Amino acid sequence: MAKDEINAFLGSGTIYEGKLNFQGSVRIDGNFTGEVISEGTLVVGKDAKMKGQIRVSQMILSGHITGEVYATERVVLHKTANLVGTLHTPALVVEEGAKVEGQVSMNGATEAIVKEPAA
């Protein structure tokens, strides 16, 4: 993915807590705690630390995530990726060296989960 395709960027040293909604692609290289909801692509850099719930179409992970990840299209775990928690996705690409601790579900039933849950 080229840098010019990224719509927003939370750089290294950034600390963010809360809820993030976006369109297109967002890259996170800092610390994020909370909830991410998007029909776009989330790119998590190798120095990033995220905690919470993530609901996206695609995710490319090089950093650390603790929590629940729901992806309607696919997830790519690079060799520096570390995922602790639950992963739901119909397609998964894992490079040698990536770490997953928890549950992985690839039953394809994540179709409607990107939409924000009803209150």
mmCIF file of all heavy atoms in Angstrom, residues 40-91:
data_model
loop_
_atom_site.group_PDB
_atom_site.id
_atom_site.type_symbol
_atom_site.label_atom_id
_atom_site.label_comp_id
_atom_site.label_asym_id
_atom_site.label_seq_id
_atom_site.Cartn_x
_atom_site.Cartn_y
_atom_site.Cartn_z
ATOM 1 N N GLY A 40 -13.300 0.337 5.716
ATOM 2 C CA GLY A 40 -12.043 0.509 5.012
ATOM 3 C C GLY A 40 -10.954 -0.418 5.525
ATOM 4 O O GLY A 40 -11.233 -1.489 6.080
ATOM 5 N N THR A 41 -9.708 0.034 5.347
ATOM 6 C CA THR A 41 -8.532 -0.757 5.700
ATOM 7 C C THR A 41 -7.787 -0.114 6.857
ATOM 8 O O THR A 41 -7.497 1.082 6.818
ATOM 9 C CB THR A 41 -7.585 -0.870 4.487
ATOM 10 O OG1 THR A 41 -8.286 -1.497 3.414
ATOM 11 C CG2 THR A 41 -6.347 -1.686 4.825
ATOM 12 N N LEU A 42 -7.456 -0.921 7.843
ATOM 13 C CA LEU A 42 -6.647 -0.471 8.969
ATOM 14 C C LEU A 42 -5.258 -1.065 8.839
ATOM 15 O O LEU A 42 -5.112 -2.281 8.703
ATOM 16 C CB LEU A 42 -7.274 -0.922 10.298
ATOM 17 C CG LEU A 42 -6.469 -0.594 11.558
ATOM 18 C CD1 LEU A 42 -6.371 0.924 11.758
ATOM 19 C CD2 LEU A 42 -7.101 -1.252 12.772
ATOM 20 N N VAL A 43 -4.249 -0.194 8.872
ATOM 21 C CA VAL A 43 -2.856 -0.626 8.819
ATOM 22 C C VAL A 43 -2.249 -0.331 10.188
ATOM 23 O O VAL A 43 -2.255 0.820 10.635
ATOM 24 C CB VAL A 43 -2.072 0.118 7.713
ATOM 25 C CG1 VAL A 43 -0.619 -0.340 7.690
ATOM 26 C CG2 VAL A 43 -2.733 -0.084 6.359
ATOM 27 N N VAL A 44 -1.740 -1.376 10.842
ATOM 28 C CA VAL A 44 -1.156 -1.230 12.175
ATOM 29 C C VAL A 44 0.347 -1.445 12.046
ATOM 30 O O VAL A 44 0.797 -2.551 11.747
ATOM 31 C CB VAL A 44 -1.775 -2.245 13.161
ATOM 32 C CG1 VAL A 44 -1.187 -2.057 14.552
ATOM 33 C CG2 VAL A 44 -3.296 -2.102 13.193
ATOM 34 N N GLY A 45 1.120 -0.372 12.251
ATOM 35 C CA GLY A 45 2.566 -0.415 12.102
ATOM 36 C C GLY A 45 3.258 -1.257 13.157
ATOM 37 O O GLY A 45 2.679 -1.578 14.198
ATOM 38 N N LYS A 46 4.520 -1.600 12.926
ATOM 39 C CA LYS A 46 5.227 -2.540 13.798
ATOM 40 C C LYS A 46 5.457 -2.024 15.208
ATOM 41 O O LYS A 46 5.621 -2.806 16.126
ATOM 42 C CB LYS A 46 6.548 -3.000 13.163
ATOM 43 C CG LYS A 46 7.621 -1.966 13.077
ATOM 44 C CD LYS A 46 8.870 -2.559 12.430
ATOM 45 C CE LYS A 46 9.974 -1.554 12.349
ATOM 46 N NZ LYS A 46 10.833 -1.531 13.491
ATOM 47 N N ASP A 47 5.466 -0.720 15.436
ATOM 48 C CA ASP A 47 5.647 -0.170 16.778
ATOM 49 C C ASP A 47 4.328 0.153 17.467
ATOM 50 O O ASP A 47 4.316 0.602 18.611
ATOM 51 C CB ASP A 47 6.515 1.090 16.711
ATOM 52 C CG ASP A 47 7.918 0.788 16.218
ATOM 53 O OD1 ASP A 47 8.446 -0.290 16.567
ATOM 54 O OD2 ASP A 47 8.484 1.618 15.483
ATOM 55 N N ALA A 48 3.209 -0.078 16.791
ATOM 56 C CA ALA A 48 1.890 0.241 17.344
ATOM 57 C C ALA A 48 1.473 -0.764 18.407
ATOM 58 O O ALA A 48 1.795 -1.948 18.334
ATOM 59 C CB ALA A 48 0.861 0.268 16.226
ATOM 60 N N LYS A 49 0.711 -0.238 19.383
ATOM 61 C CA LYS A 49 0.102 -1.081 20.407
ATOM 62 C C LYS A 49 -1.361 -0.686 20.486
ATOM 63 O O LYS A 49 -1.688 0.463 20.783
ATOM 64 C CB LYS A 49 0.789 -0.870 21.759
ATOM 65 C CG LYS A 49 2.185 -1.441 21.826
ATOM 66 C CD LYS A 49 2.756 -1.266 23.219
ATOM 67 C CE LYS A 49 4.078 -1.949 23.414
ATOM 68 N NZ LYS A 49 5.095 -1.687 22.474
ATOM 69 N N MET A 50 -2.240 -1.643 20.181
ATOM 70 C CA MET A 50 -3.671 -1.374 20.192
ATOM 71 C C MET A 50 -4.374 -2.320 21.162
ATOM 72 O O MET A 50 -3.984 -3.477 21.297
ATOM 73 C CB MET A 50 -4.268 -1.548 18.790
ATOM 74 C CG MET A 50 -3.747 -0.550 17.785
ATOM 75 S SD MET A 50 -4.581 -0.683 16.184
ATOM 76 C CE MET A 50 -6.224 -0.126 16.603
ATOM 77 N N LYS A 51 -5.422 -1.787 21.793
ATOM 78 C CA LYS A 51 -6.209 -2.595 22.718
ATOM 79 C C LYS A 51 -7.670 -2.213 22.550
ATOM 80 O O LYS A 51 -8.004 -1.032 22.558
ATOM 81 C CB LYS A 51 -5.759 -2.321 24.156
ATOM 82 C CG LYS A 51 -6.396 -3.205 25.187
ATOM 83 C CD LYS A 51 -5.775 -2.959 26.546
ATOM 84 C CE LYS A 51 -6.289 -3.987 27.531
ATOM 85 N NZ LYS A 51 -5.668 -3.806 28.858
ATOM 86 N N GLY A 52 -8.527 -3.226 22.356
ATOM 87 C CA GLY A 52 -9.947 -2.942 22.213
ATOM 88 C C GLY A 52 -10.605 -3.797 21.159
ATOM 89 O O GLY A 52 -10.185 -4.927 20.903
ATOM 90 N N GLN A 53 -11.634 -3.224 20.525
ATOM 91 C CA GLN A 53 -12.398 -3.948 19.518
ATOM 92 C C GLN A 53 -12.220 -3.262 18.167
ATOM 93 O O GLN A 53 -12.338 -2.044 18.062
ATOM 94 C CB GLN A 53 -13.872 -3.975 19.896
ATOM 95 C CG GLN A 53 -14.684 -4.877 18.990
ATOM 96 C CD GLN A 53 -16.111 -4.985 19.457
ATOM 97 O OE1 GLN A 53 -16.910 -4.097 19.180
ATOM 98 N NE2 GLN A 53 -16.433 -6.051 20.153
ATOM 99 N N ILE A 54 -11.949 -4.072 17.146
ATOM 100 C CA ILE A 54 -11.703 -3.560 15.800
ATOM 101 C C ILE A 54 -12.672 -4.233 14.839
ATOM 102 O O ILE A 54 -12.750 -5.460 14.795
ATOM 103 C CB ILE A 54 -10.244 -3.826 15.372
ATOM 104 C CG1 ILE A 54 -9.293 -3.101 16.324
ATOM 105 C CG2 ILE A 54 -10.015 -3.415 13.927
ATOM 106 C CD1 ILE A 54 -7.862 -3.518 16.203
ATOM 107 N N ARG A 55 -13.411 -3.425 14.070
ATOM 108 C CA ARG A 55 -14.362 -3.917 13.070
ATOM 109 C C ARG A 55 -14.070 -3.188 11.770
ATOM 110 O O ARG A 55 -14.397 -2.015 11.624
ATOM 111 C CB ARG A 55 -15.800 -3.639 13.508
ATOM 112 C CG ARG A 55 -16.204 -4.370 14.769
ATOM 113 C CD ARG A 55 -17.611 -3.935 15.224
ATOM 114 N NE ARG A 55 -17.980 -4.606 16.442
ATOM 115 C CZ ARG A 55 -18.598 -5.779 16.508
ATOM 116 N NH1 ARG A 55 -18.924 -6.404 15.398
ATOM 117 N NH2 ARG A 55 -18.904 -6.318 17.667
ATOM 118 N N VAL A 56 -13.409 -3.890 10.839
ATOM 119 C CA VAL A 56 -12.999 -3.279 9.571
ATOM 120 C C VAL A 56 -13.220 -4.264 8.420
ATOM 121 O O VAL A 56 -13.544 -5.423 8.645
ATOM 122 C CB VAL A 56 -11.504 -2.863 9.614
ATOM 123 C CG1 VAL A 56 -11.274 -1.737 10.597
ATOM 124 C CG2 VAL A 56 -10.609 -4.044 9.933
ATOM 125 N N SER A 57 -13.008 -3.788 7.199
ATOM 126 C CA SER A 57 -13.047 -4.682 6.040
ATOM 127 C C SER A 57 -11.749 -5.456 5.936
ATOM 128 O O SER A 57 -11.741 -6.669 5.775
ATOM 129 C CB SER A 57 -13.282 -3.903 4.749
ATOM 130 O OG SER A 57 -14.605 -3.434 4.702
ATOM 131 N N GLN A 58 -10.618 -4.711 6.028
ATOM 132 C CA GLN A 58 -9.307 -5.342 5.925
ATOM 133 C C GLN A 58 -8.397 -4.785 7.006
ATOM 134 O O GLN A 58 -8.495 -3.608 7.364
ATOM 135 C CB GLN A 58 -8.657 -5.045 4.574
ATOM 136 C CG GLN A 58 -9.398 -5.612 3.390
ATOM 137 C CD GLN A 58 -8.615 -5.381 2.124
ATOM 138 O OE1 GLN A 58 -7.576 -5.989 1.921
ATOM 139 N NE2 GLN A 58 -9.117 -4.510 1.261
ATOM 140 N N MET A 59 -7.486 -5.635 7.468
ATOM 141 C CA MET A 59 -6.487 -5.175 8.424
ATOM 142 C C MET A 59 -5.135 -5.753 8.043
ATOM 143 O O MET A 59 -5.024 -6.932 7.713
ATOM 144 C CB MET A 59 -6.828 -5.596 9.847
ATOM 145 C CG MET A 59 -5.814 -5.064 10.857
ATOM 146 S SD MET A 59 -6.202 -5.478 12.553
ATOM 147 C CE MET A 59 -5.728 -7.200 12.572
ATOM 148 N N ILE A 60 -4.123 -4.895 8.096
ATOM 149 C CA ILE A 60 -2.743 -5.315 7.880
ATOM 150 C C ILE A 60 -2.017 -5.039 9.191
ATOM 151 O O ILE A 60 -1.897 -3.883 9.608
ATOM 152 C CB ILE A 60 -2.105 -4.544 6.711
ATOM 153 C CG1 ILE A 60 -2.913 -4.787 5.441
ATOM 154 C CG2 ILE A 60 -0.651 -4.952 6.539
ATOM 155 C CD1 ILE A 60 -2.572 -3.877 4.287
ATOM 156 N N LEU A 61 -1.570 -6.094 9.849
ATOM 157 C CA LEU A 61 -0.992 -5.964 11.182
ATOM 158 C C LEU A 61 0.494 -6.275 11.181
ATOM 159 O O LEU A 61 0.915 -7.354 10.771
ATOM 160 C CB LEU A 61 -1.716 -6.907 12.157
ATOM 161 C CG LEU A 61 -1.189 -6.969 13.586
ATOM 162 C CD1 LEU A 61 -1.310 -5.617 14.279
ATOM 163 C CD2 LEU A 61 -1.940 -8.037 14.381
ATOM 164 N N SER A 62 1.271 -5.314 11.674
ATOM 165 C CA SER A 62 2.697 -5.521 11.894
ATOM 166 C C SER A 62 3.049 -5.318 13.361
ATOM 167 O O SER A 62 4.115 -5.709 13.800
ATOM 168 C CB SER A 62 3.526 -4.541 11.051
ATOM 169 O OG SER A 62 3.303 -4.768 9.685
ATOM 170 N N GLY A 63 2.151 -4.699 14.130
ATOM 171 C CA GLY A 63 2.378 -4.387 15.535
ATOM 172 C C GLY A 63 1.659 -5.331 16.477
ATOM 173 O O GLY A 63 1.479 -6.511 16.183
ATOM 174 N N HIS A 64 1.194 -4.789 17.617
ATOM 175 C CA HIS A 64 0.590 -5.584 18.676
ATOM 176 C C HIS A 64 -0.868 -5.170 18.896
ATOM 177 O O HIS A 64 -1.153 -3.982 19.049
ATOM 178 C CB HIS A 64 1.373 -5.378 19.977
ATOM 179 C CG HIS A 64 0.869 -6.211 21.106
ATOM 180 N ND1 HIS A 64 1.380 -7.462 21.362
ATOM 181 C CD2 HIS A 64 -0.097 -5.991 22.015
ATOM 182 C CE1 HIS A 64 0.740 -7.977 22.407
ATOM 183 N NE2 HIS A 64 -0.156 -7.092 22.817
ATOM 184 N N ILE A 65 -1.763 -6.157 18.914
ATOM 185 C CA ILE A 65 -3.175 -5.911 19.217
ATOM 186 C C ILE A 65 -3.619 -6.878 20.295
ATOM 187 O O ILE A 65 -3.351 -8.078 20.223
ATOM 188 C CB ILE A 65 -4.076 -6.089 17.975
ATOM 189 C CG1 ILE A 65 -3.817 -4.983 16.964
ATOM 190 C CG2 ILE A 65 -5.550 -6.102 18.379
ATOM 191 C CD1 ILE A 65 -4.669 -5.068 15.713
ATOM 192 N N THR A 66 -4.321 -6.336 21.300
ATOM 193 C CA THR A 66 -4.980 -7.150 22.313
ATOM 194 C C THR A 66 -6.461 -6.822 22.233
ATOM 195 O O THR A 66 -6.853 -5.671 22.395
ATOM 196 C CB THR A 66 -4.453 -6.805 23.730
ATOM 197 O OG1 THR A 66 -3.045 -7.033 23.759
ATOM 198 C CG2 THR A 66 -5.128 -7.672 24.777
ATOM 199 N N GLY A 67 -7.284 -7.841 21.953
ATOM 200 C CA GLY A 67 -8.719 -7.603 21.882
ATOM 201 C C GLY A 67 -9.398 -8.448 20.832
ATOM 202 O O GLY A 67 -8.931 -9.531 20.483
ATOM 203 N N GLU A 68 -10.508 -7.918 20.318
ATOM 204 C CA GLU A 68 -11.306 -8.619 19.315
ATOM 205 C C GLU A 68 -11.152 -7.924 17.973
ATOM 206 O O GLU A 68 -11.268 -6.710 17.893
ATOM 207 C CB GLU A 68 -12.785 -8.592 19.683
ATOM 208 C CG GLU A 68 -13.152 -9.400 20.897
ATOM 209 C CD GLU A 68 -14.642 -9.311 21.137
ATOM 210 O OE1 GLU A 68 -15.081 -8.261 21.653
ATOM 211 O OE2 GLU A 68 -15.358 -10.261 20.797
ATOM 212 N N VAL A 69 -10.907 -8.727 16.933
ATOM 213 C CA VAL A 69 -10.781 -8.191 15.580
ATOM 214 C C VAL A 69 -11.803 -8.886 14.687
ATOM 215 O O VAL A 69 -11.866 -10.117 14.644
ATOM 216 C CB VAL A 69 -9.360 -8.413 15.007
ATOM 217 C CG1 VAL A 69 -9.295 -7.930 13.560
ATOM 218 C CG2 VAL A 69 -8.323 -7.715 15.870
ATOM 219 N N TYR A 70 -12.622 -8.085 13.996
ATOM 220 C CA TYR A 70 -13.590 -8.579 13.029
ATOM 221 C C TYR A 70 -13.253 -7.940 11.687
ATOM 222 O O TYR A 70 -13.250 -6.718 11.576
ATOM 223 C CB TYR A 70 -15.014 -8.169 13.420
ATOM 224 C CG TYR A 70 -15.474 -8.716 14.740
ATOM 225 C CD1 TYR A 70 -15.229 -8.035 15.922
ATOM 226 C CD2 TYR A 70 -16.167 -9.926 14.802
ATOM 227 C CE1 TYR A 70 -15.656 -8.541 17.135
ATOM 228 C CE2 TYR A 70 -16.596 -10.438 16.013
ATOM 229 C CZ TYR A 70 -16.338 -9.737 17.173
ATOM 230 O OH TYR A 70 -16.761 -10.241 18.377
ATOM 231 N N ALA A 71 -12.952 -8.750 10.684
ATOM 232 C CA ALA A 71 -12.654 -8.230 9.348
ATOM 233 C C ALA A 71 -13.547 -8.942 8.336
ATOM 234 O O ALA A 71 -13.576 -10.171 8.304
ATOM 235 C CB ALA A 71 -11.186 -8.438 9.001
ATOM 236 N N THR A 72 -14.269 -8.180 7.525
ATOM 237 C CA THR A 72 -15.204 -8.789 6.582
ATOM 238 C C THR A 72 -14.516 -9.331 5.334
ATOM 239 O O THR A 72 -15.087 -10.177 4.649
ATOM 240 C CB THR A 72 -16.291 -7.789 6.151
ATOM 241 O OG1 THR A 72 -15.664 -6.643 5.595
ATOM 242 C CG2 THR A 72 -17.167 -7.405 7.321
ATOM 243 N N GLU A 73 -13.301 -8.842 5.010
ATOM 244 C CA GLU A 73 -12.616 -9.313 3.804
ATOM 245 C C GLU A 73 -11.389 -10.161 4.117
ATOM 246 O O GLU A 73 -11.327 -11.311 3.744
ATOM 247 C CB GLU A 73 -12.220 -8.126 2.927
ATOM 248 C CG GLU A 73 -13.429 -7.449 2.295
ATOM 249 C CD GLU A 73 -13.032 -6.312 1.391
ATOM 250 O OE1 GLU A 73 -11.903 -6.316 0.844
ATOM 251 O OE2 GLU A 73 -13.843 -5.386 1.232
ATOM 252 N N ARG A 74 -10.381 -9.556 4.790
ATOM 253 C CA ARG A 74 -9.177 -10.333 5.083
ATOM 254 C C ARG A 74 -8.305 -9.643 6.117
ATOM 255 O O ARG A 74 -8.413 -8.447 6.347
ATOM 256 C CB ARG A 74 -8.374 -10.622 3.832
ATOM 257 C CG ARG A 74 -7.623 -9.448 3.282
ATOM 258 C CD ARG A 74 -6.880 -9.845 2.034
ATOM 259 N NE ARG A 74 -5.856 -8.842 1.770
ATOM 260 C CZ ARG A 74 -4.702 -9.097 1.212
ATOM 261 N NH1 ARG A 74 -4.415 -10.301 0.825
ATOM 262 N NH2 ARG A 74 -3.832 -8.145 1.007
ATOM 263 N N VAL A 75 -7.402 -10.448 6.688
ATOM 264 C CA VAL A 75 -6.408 -9.956 7.631
ATOM 265 C C VAL A 75 -5.050 -10.475 7.185
ATOM 266 O O VAL A 75 -4.919 -11.641 6.818
ATOM 267 C CB VAL A 75 -6.714 -10.438 9.068
ATOM 268 C CG1 VAL A 75 -5.564 -10.123 10.013
ATOM 269 C CG2 VAL A 75 -8.010 -9.817 9.582
ATOM 270 N N VAL A 76 -4.053 -9.586 7.202
ATOM 271 C CA VAL A 76 -2.681 -9.960 6.890
ATOM 272 C C VAL A 76 -1.848 -9.736 8.151
ATOM 273 O O VAL A 76 -1.838 -8.639 8.701
ATOM 274 C CB VAL A 76 -2.109 -9.114 5.726
ATOM 275 C CG1 VAL A 76 -0.654 -9.473 5.469
ATOM 276 C CG2 VAL A 76 -2.950 -9.298 4.471
ATOM 277 N N LEU A 77 -1.165 -10.797 8.607
ATOM 278 C CA LEU A 77 -0.291 -10.699 9.771
ATOM 279 C C LEU A 77 1.151 -10.793 9.285
ATOM 280 O O LEU A 77 1.584 -11.843 8.812
ATOM 281 C CB LEU A 77 -0.585 -11.825 10.767
ATOM 282 C CG LEU A 77 -2.016 -11.914 11.296
ATOM 283 C CD1 LEU A 77 -2.161 -13.104 12.229
ATOM 284 C CD2 LEU A 77 -2.416 -10.622 12.003
ATOM 285 N N HIS A 78 1.880 -9.674 9.368
ATOM 286 C CA HIS A 78 3.285 -9.671 8.980
ATOM 287 C C HIS A 78 4.124 -10.341 10.065
ATOM 288 O O HIS A 78 3.636 -10.610 11.164
ATOM 289 C CB HIS A 78 3.768 -8.245 8.716
ATOM 290 C CG HIS A 78 3.214 -7.667 7.452
ATOM 291 N ND1 HIS A 78 3.584 -8.116 6.201
ATOM 292 C CD2 HIS A 78 2.289 -6.695 7.238
ATOM 293 C CE1 HIS A 78 2.927 -7.435 5.277
ATOM 294 N NE2 HIS A 78 2.125 -6.572 5.878
ATOM 295 N N LYS A 79 5.389 -10.595 9.787
ATOM 296 C CA LYS A 79 6.238 -11.369 10.695
ATOM 297 C C LYS A 79 6.400 -10.737 12.067
ATOM 298 O O LYS A 79 6.643 -11.433 13.040
ATOM 299 C CB LYS A 79 7.597 -11.642 10.066
ATOM 300 C CG LYS A 79 8.422 -10.403 9.781
ATOM 301 C CD LYS A 79 9.712 -10.775 9.105
ATOM 302 C CE LYS A 79 10.521 -9.518 8.774
ATOM 303 N NZ LYS A 79 11.735 -9.853 8.049
ATOM 304 N N THR A 80 6.214 -9.430 12.192
ATOM 305 C CA THR A 80 6.336 -8.761 13.488
ATOM 306 C C THR A 80 5.003 -8.647 14.222
ATOM 307 O O THR A 80 4.940 -8.095 15.313
ATOM 308 C CB THR A 80 6.935 -7.352 13.315
ATOM 309 O OG1 THR A 80 6.113 -6.610 12.392
ATOM 310 C CG2 THR A 80 8.361 -7.418 12.786
ATOM 311 N N ALA A 81 3.924 -9.175 13.637
ATOM 312 C CA ALA A 81 2.586 -9.073 14.223
ATOM 313 C C ALA A 81 2.459 -9.902 15.490
ATOM 314 O O ALA A 81 3.020 -10.990 15.596
ATOM 315 C CB ALA A 81 1.533 -9.527 13.207
ATOM 316 N N ASN A 82 1.685 -9.361 16.438
ATOM 317 C CA ASN A 82 1.395 -10.061 17.678
ATOM 318 C C ASN A 82 -0.071 -9.786 18.014
ATOM 319 O O ASN A 82 -0.424 -8.664 18.346
ATOM 320 C CB ASN A 82 2.318 -9.565 18.794
ATOM 321 C CG ASN A 82 2.196 -10.392 20.047
ATOM 322 O OD1 ASN A 82 1.192 -11.054 20.273
ATOM 323 N ND2 ASN A 82 3.218 -10.344 20.877
ATOM 324 N N LEU A 83 -0.903 -10.805 17.905
ATOM 325 C CA LEU A 83 -2.334 -10.671 18.164
ATOM 326 C C LEU A 83 -2.714 -11.542 19.347
ATOM 327 O O LEU A 83 -2.494 -12.757 19.327
ATOM 328 C CB LEU A 83 -3.140 -11.086 16.928
ATOM 329 C CG LEU A 83 -4.657 -11.105 17.078
ATOM 330 C CD1 LEU A 83 -5.195 -9.706 17.334
ATOM 331 C CD2 LEU A 83 -5.302 -11.695 15.846
ATOM 332 N N VAL A 84 -3.270 -10.916 20.384
ATOM 333 C CA VAL A 84 -3.735 -11.634 21.561
ATOM 334 C C VAL A 84 -5.228 -11.370 21.670
ATOM 335 O O VAL A 84 -5.646 -10.232 21.872
ATOM 336 C CB VAL A 84 -3.017 -11.150 22.843
ATOM 337 C CG1 VAL A 84 -3.554 -11.884 24.065
ATOM 338 C CG2 VAL A 84 -1.518 -11.332 22.719
ATOM 339 N N GLY A 85 -6.033 -12.412 21.499
ATOM 340 C CA GLY A 85 -7.478 -12.227 21.579
ATOM 341 C C GLY A 85 -8.209 -13.075 20.578
ATOM 342 O O GLY A 85 -7.825 -14.216 20.319
ATOM 343 N N THR A 86 -9.246 -12.500 19.980
ATOM 344 C CA THR A 86 -10.115 -13.223 19.064
ATOM 345 C C THR A 86 -10.068 -12.575 17.689
ATOM 346 O O THR A 86 -10.141 -11.363 17.570
ATOM 347 C CB THR A 86 -11.570 -13.190 19.583
ATOM 348 O OG1 THR A 86 -11.584 -13.650 20.926
ATOM 349 C CG2 THR A 86 -12.465 -14.072 18.747
ATOM 350 N N LEU A 87 -9.943 -13.411 16.665
ATOM 351 C CA LEU A 87 -9.896 -12.928 15.287
ATOM 352 C C LEU A 87 -10.983 -13.617 14.473
ATOM 353 O O LEU A 87 -11.056 -14.842 14.457
ATOM 354 C CB LEU A 87 -8.518 -13.209 14.669
ATOM 355 C CG LEU A 87 -8.345 -12.924 13.180
ATOM 356 C CD1 LEU A 87 -8.559 -11.446 12.882
ATOM 357 C CD2 LEU A 87 -6.969 -13.368 12.714
ATOM 358 N N HIS A 88 -11.825 -12.821 13.815
ATOM 359 C CA HIS A 88 -12.883 -13.329 12.934
ATOM 360 C C HIS A 88 -12.645 -12.746 11.549
ATOM 361 O O HIS A 88 -12.697 -11.535 11.370
ATOM 362 C CB HIS A 88 -14.266 -12.888 13.421
ATOM 363 C CG HIS A 88 -14.576 -13.286 14.821
ATOM 364 N ND1 HIS A 88 -15.136 -14.497 15.140
ATOM 365 C CD2 HIS A 88 -14.389 -12.639 15.992
ATOM 366 C CE1 HIS A 88 -15.290 -14.578 16.443
ATOM 367 N NE2 HIS A 88 -14.841 -13.464 16.988
ATOM 368 N N THR A 89 -12.382 -13.595 10.571
ATOM 369 C CA THR A 89 -12.151 -13.135 9.204
ATOM 370 C C THR A 89 -12.340 -14.297 8.235
ATOM 371 O O THR A 89 -12.030 -15.440 8.579
ATOM 372 C CB THR A 89 -10.732 -12.530 9.034
ATOM 373 O OG1 THR A 89 -10.603 -12.033 7.704
ATOM 374 C CG2 THR A 89 -9.646 -13.554 9.319
ATOM 375 N N PRO A 90 -12.838 -14.037 7.020
ATOM 376 C CA PRO A 90 -12.965 -15.131 6.054
ATOM 377 C C PRO A 90 -11.644 -15.505 5.393
ATOM 378 O O PRO A 90 -11.495 -16.606 4.883
ATOM 379 C CB PRO A 90 -13.960 -14.584 5.034
ATOM 380 C CG PRO A 90 -13.857 -13.102 5.149
ATOM 381 C CD PRO A 90 -13.483 -12.808 6.570
ATOM 382 N N ALA A 91 -10.656 -14.597 5.393
ATOM 383 C CA ALA A 91 -9.368 -14.869 4.739
ATOM 384 C C ALA A 91 -8.240 -14.368 5.635
ATOM 385 O O ALA A 91 -8.284 -13.252 6.136
ATOM 386 C CB ALA A 91 -9.304 -14.180 3.385
#
